Amino acid sequence: MKNRDRFLLMTDFMTGRIKLLVLSVLLTICTFLLFDMVLTLMKEQSFEYDTYIDGYKSGIDDVYKIDFQYMNMTSPPRILYEQTSYMDFLEDIRSIDGVNFVCGYDYSRVRFDELSRSEEYEYIMSTRRVDELELGIMSNDSLALIVDDDCMNYLMLKCSDDYLADFLSASDGYWPVLAGSSFSDILNIGDILHYGDKSCRIVGFLDPDATWPNNNGLGTYFYKTNSLNYQFVFRSSDMRSVRTTPPLNALYMKLDKSADSIQVERQVRNIGNEYNIILSMVSVDSILADSASDKMAAEKMYMKLLIFMFVLCILTSTASAVISLMVQRKKIGIWYASGILPSDVQTMIFAEQFIKIVLSAVLAYGIGMWYARECSMTYQLMHSTITLRWFLLLSLISYIVTVAVPCAYISRQHIIDLLQVKD
Amino acid sequence: MILLDNICKTYTSGGTETHALRGVSLSISNGDYIAVMGPSGCGKSTLLNILGCMDSSTSGTYVFDDVAVHELSYKQLHIFRKKHISFVFQNFALLNRYTVFENVELPLIAQGIHSTERKKKVTNTLEELGIAELRDKLPIHISGGQQQRTAIARALVSDHELILADEPTGALDSNTSKEIMDVFDIINKHGKTIMVVTHDLTVAKHAKRLLRMEDGLFLI
C-alpha cells in the first residue's frame, strides 16, 4: 500500500468514529491532568520538606519581610508577595549579645503578632537560620505565646534597636498604625489612638483591594484585607510578641548552642508558667527526625495516589482505544476481505495512538504548567524539570499499552467474525 | 488449478466438537463455474471460507496453483488472499461511508496501485457492470441489486483468478437475482473461476457444475 493511501485510510480509520475519538482524547487529557496535579502536590510537598530539612542542616538566611515597608507610607500600595520577599531584617536580631536567636514556625517562619480588633489573624515572616542552633523551645499550645521585653531580656534576646528607633522617630514615639480600609471614613492619617495601654498614630490605610500573603502550608493564600477588616498596629518592640495560632500551633525559639540549656529550660518553664502555656524543649535532631518522618509519610501517601493516577491514565486511554477499535470491527473485516492486511491496521493503530497520546500529553502538560504558574509559587520552578520526566514516562507507557492491547485484540479477531458484526 | 484433498474442519466449543467438513475433496480448474448447494449447516460456507483463506482446515491439503495453502500461516493467508481471491457476500459488505467508487477502489488501494491507474480500472469495471452513473453515490442511496453489482465490481476490479460468492442473491428479489447471476455468467465467460454457494436452485443452474453437500461431505 502506498503511503498516501495509507494516510487516507488512516484518516478514515480515525474519523470513522470521530465523536468517540474526541471523547477518548478528552478523557485521556483529564486523567493526564489529574496525574499532573497529583504530581504537582507531591513535588511541592516534597520541596517544602526538603527546604526545611536543608535549612535545619545548613542554615539559610532568607527573610521574607512583608510588613514594615508600609509603615511609613501614607498610601500603601497593593501588597504583593514579590515586592516584599527579600528584605533583610533579622540580621539585627541574631547579632545581639552574642546570642543568635531566630524564632519561627517549623524553624522557617516567624509569625508576628498583629493587634486585630476581633479576630486574630496573622502575617508571616519567614526566616531560616538554624546552623548554630541546637535547642529550641516549642509550644503546642493554641494560645498566643507573648514574649515581651522582659522575656526577651530574660532569655538574653533582644530586638533591633535600629528598627525601633526608626519607627519611633517616624511616628513621634507613637506606634505607627496601618488601619484597614474600612476605617478610612472615620480616621485620618495622623490621628492618635489609644489602644489598651498603647498610644498609636495612624500612618496610612490599607488599600481596599490589598491582599495579604500567607504562605501557609502547601500554598500561598492571599487574604483580602478589606473583607477581613484588618487593622494593623505595629511597633518595633512588638516584633518580640510572637504567638502561635491554631492549627499551626507550634513556636520554636532557637537558641545558640553556647546557651546554657539547663538555665534556658528553667527560664522557659518560668515563661510558660507566667503565661499559662505549655512549653517544652526540643532538639534540632528530633525536629530533623520528625521532618524526615513527616516527609516520608507524605511522599508515601502521594506516591500511592500517583500510582493510582498512573494506572488510571493507562486504563482510560487503553479502554478508549479498544472501544474505538471495537466499533470499527465491521469496517476492518471488509478491509481484510478487500486485501488490507492486519499489519496495515496495526500501523493505523500505532499512528492514531501516537497522535492521541501526544496530543493529550501536550495539552495536559500545558494546562498543568498554566496551573503551576497561576496557583503555585514553588511548583512553577520545578515543573519543567521534574514533572517532564514523569510525564514522558507516563506517555511512553501509555503509548506502549494503548498500542499493544488494541493490536493484540485485533490480531485475535477472525475475519469471518469481523464480517458478521452488525453495523 | 485448485485441489482440495480430504479437507476436514472441526469446531470445538465448550468441549463439544462439531465436524463442519468431513474429508472434502475437490478439484477446480481455471475458468470453472461451480455452484454448491445444501441445507444450512452442511458445511458449504465453511468450505468457501477455507477456499477463500478466511479460515484454515483442521486437516487435509489445499493446493492453489502449486501453493500449499494449508501450510500457510495466518499472515501468509492474508497476503495470499489479497493476491488471488475475491469475495462477494450475501449482505454486500460495502462500507456505507464510502461512495460506490471508493468501495470498488479499496482492493486496488490494498495492492498499492497508483491512483491514476486505479481510477481507470474502477471506471472501466463500473461501466462493465452498468453502474458508472452511481459512482459518487453512497451504498445506502442505491438499491440492493446495485449494491450487489458494486460488490461484484469490487471483486472484479483486482482481476483475481478466483471469485467466491456466498449466497450472492440471498438478499435480492428474483428479478434482481437473475440480473446478478447473468453478471456472474459474463464474468465466467471472461475466464474467471467462480464458486457460488446458494440455496437457490435457479441460481445454481447458472453454474457449469453443481455440487451438493450434506453433513460436511459432497453427495455423489
Side-chain angles (χ1 to χ4, degrees), chain A residues 94 96-102 129-136 155-157 253-261 264 281:
Chain A
R94 60 183 173 79
I96 295 171
D97 292 347
V99 177
N100 292 326
F101 163 68
V102 175
R129 175 119 190 138
V130 292
D131 52 328
E132 298 176 72
L133 308 171
E134 279 187 337
L135 299 172
L155 285 170
M156 298 184 293
L157 304 169
M253 295 175 65
K254 292 168 258 181
L255 307 175
D256 188 280
K257 64 174 76 170
S258 62
D260 182 343
S261 60
V264 169
M281 299 286 290

Side-chain angles (χ1 to χ4, degrees), chain A residues 271-316:
Chain A
I271 292 171
N273 292 337
E274 185 178 352
Y275 294 98
N276 195 27
I277 54 176
I278 302 165
L279 294 177
S280 57
M281 299 286 290
V282 292
S283 70
V284 170
D285 286 342
S286 69
I287 291 172
L288 271 174
D290 285 349
S291 293
S293 163
D294 289 348
K295 181 189 172 186
M296 195 175 289
E299 284 185 344
K300 206 171 173 182
M301 183 193 76
Y302 276 111
M303 187 53 76
K304 282 180 187 169
L305 199 54
L306 198 67
I307 289 169
F308 173 74
M309 294 312 306
F310 201 94
V311 171
L312 187 67
C313 285
I314 291 170
L315 279 181
T316 306

